[in-house]
Amino acid sequence: MELPFAEPWKMKVVEPLYRSSREQREQWMKDAGYNLFNLRSEQVFIDLLTDSGTGAMSQYQWSEIMLGDESYAGSSSFFKLENVIHDLFDMPYFLPTHQGRAAENVLFSALIKEGDVVPGNSHFDTTKGHIEYRRARAIDCTIDEACHTDEYHPFKGNIDLQKLEDVFKKYPKEKIPLCIITITCNTSGGQPVSMQNIGEVSSLCRKYGVLPIFDAARFAENAYFIKTREKEYTNKTIREIVKEMFSFVDGATMSSKKDAIVNIGGFIILRDKSVFQKASVFNIMYEGYLTYGGLAGRDLGALAQGLMEGTEFNYLEARIGQVAYLGKKLTEYNVPIQQPTGGHAVFVNAKEFLPNVTKEEYQAQTLAVELYLESGVRGVEIGTLMADRNPVTRENRYPTLELVRLAIPRRVYTNNHMDYVAAALANLWQRRNEIKKGFRIVSEAPILRHFTIKLERIG
Ligand SMILES: *Cc1c(COP(=O)(O)O)cnc(C)c1O
């Protein structure tokens, strides 16, 4: 018979997990103000809060930690990383930062001013936060198919060219400093953007004199989808595809905590010298000197190695295969999820799951809390709480989709863990009609409120 798929790695270090009781979890959840961010990690059995900085580093990455050069300026770890970045992305300028939002802070300080608009595909929460903090506006131009969770589309992260051109026509060029292409598109379900779309968006940007920039946190997963779903790329390597993707843009911000499989780190890459020079000033002010950017030398080395491992096909096949495995199990149990599954996460459609809970009572948050109480599995709400309030009217913004994201850390959990997660959701699905009440807000921060919000049960 044909041999089944198996992961191309084995475990060398294990970390024990605590299996709590439902009574314990009820108390912990109440104490945490029904906000999953407020739980202690020991209170979580399987942690699918995020795939950010939660991956397992390889023995080669750990050896880079020992080899780290901690010189303030010009460390060998920096040049090791710079070489890898040049080879992978073919972009002349590079700035290290301590994580992805720091890269956004530095680049946007150089490019965005009050009153600007920044089109893109479902901007990530910190990206939008950094745009709105500068009194500029993010305009979502994702294709409508992204909102139809049960319809298959191979590239639901794509940008709608008509929507984008409408923005380019409506606002003068001086008001549109950049267009952000998020690969893969986290907020719409870890959905990829096709090479064709990247090319078309890039041409449109060039026609109107706007800088196309990647939010590149999951660039390698995006490349895997291009290879497996876009015919012309079947026989190209992941690294060839990556190089072509980046040939269409003028720069990128990167959260290395995702596809570079490190626990902390980020960077900016740029094609234009003058933008690089402007950004360099902010990098020194906010992050650190140009050859460390808020990271230790050892972090730079582990990042260089992680970028190489993260762009290997065998690794990506196992990683994205595990996400698809969880999606398939859930689909077998009839649990409504964003189809097809994305690169890093499965997104459960909470509106369909809990029709008896109103959007004013936060459907996705309610489902995420119920999942934790049922099983000790921690997911995250991608819904009204995360969408925040309209900065002008202070009204809740109700997004089209109410999702619970189950983000899978890289190289951390086994498929037995995935079976456990799927069974927990199947149990909830069976008694979904008994869940009728959601939550109300007790206290919240003025921006990025979901991280610290406190809630109480209604009824
Ligand atoms: C995680 C992420 C960021 C922010 O990166 P951090 O390292 O968490 O600061 C930005 N954009 C996307 C798409 C992300 O997934």
Side-chain angles (χ1 to χ4, degrees), residues 128 132 136-138 384-399 444-449:
K128 198 164 171 180
E132 292 179 350
R137 206 151 57 82
T384 306
L385 295 184
M386 184 184 261
D388 242 318
R389 291 180 187 274
N390 179 306
V392 181
T393 67
R394 301 307 298 160
E395 291 296 316
N396 268 331
R397 283 192 282 218
Y398 293 104
E444 64 182 287
I447 199 165
L448 293 176
R449 63 176 175 176

Side-chain angles (χ1 to χ4, degrees), residues 298-326:
R298 52 184 172 270
D299 297 327
L300 301 172
L303 168 51
Q305 175 63 26
L307 281 170
M308 295 310 290
E309 293 176 17
T311 49
E312 278 169 17
F313 179 80
N314 288 342
Y315 152 75
L316 285 164
E317 185 182 34
R319 190 292 181 276
I320 292 173
Q322 184 171 52
V323 177
Y325 175 85
L326 176 59

Side-chain angles (χ1 to χ4, degrees), residues 293-358:
L295 295 170
R298 52 184 172 270
D299 297 327
L300 301 172
L303 168 51
Q305 175 63 26
L307 281 170
M308 295 310 290
E309 293 176 17
T311 49
E312 278 169 17
F313 179 80
N314 288 342
Y315 152 75
L316 285 164
E317 185 182 34
R319 190 292 181 276
I320 292 173
Q322 184 171 52
V323 177
Y325 175 85
L326 176 59
K328 184 161 164 278
K329 280 256 146 182
L330 288 171
T331 305
E332 282 165 13
Y333 294 138
N334 296 318
V335 173
I337 60 168
Q338 168 78 289
Q339 300 282 6
T341 48
H344 68 295
V346 174
F347 289 69
V348 183
N349 184 338
K351 266 191 190 170
E352 240 180 275
F353 203 117
L354 296 180
N356 295 332
V357 178
T358 64

Side-chain angles (χ1 to χ4, degrees), residues 18 22 40 67 94 96 117 126 131 140 164 194 196 224 262 276 288-289 293 354 362 411 419 439:
Y18 178 66
R22 173 136 193 151
R40 288 166 176 258
L67 294 171
F94 148 62
V117 296
T126 63
I131 293 169
D140 186 3
L164 184 64
S194 70
Q196 186 185 342
Y224 175 88
V262 287
F276 168 73
Y289 184 62
L354 296 180
Y362 312 112
R411 305 190 290 209
D419 291 343
F439 293 90

Side-chain angles (χ1 to χ4, degrees), residues 99-101 104 124 126 182 186 215 217-218 255 257-258:
Q99 59 182 87
R101 72 199 65 185
E104 290 165 356
F124 184 65
T126 63
T182 311
N186 191 350
D215 178 347
R218 298 180 184 81
S255 168
K257 303 167 73 172
K258 319 292 173 42

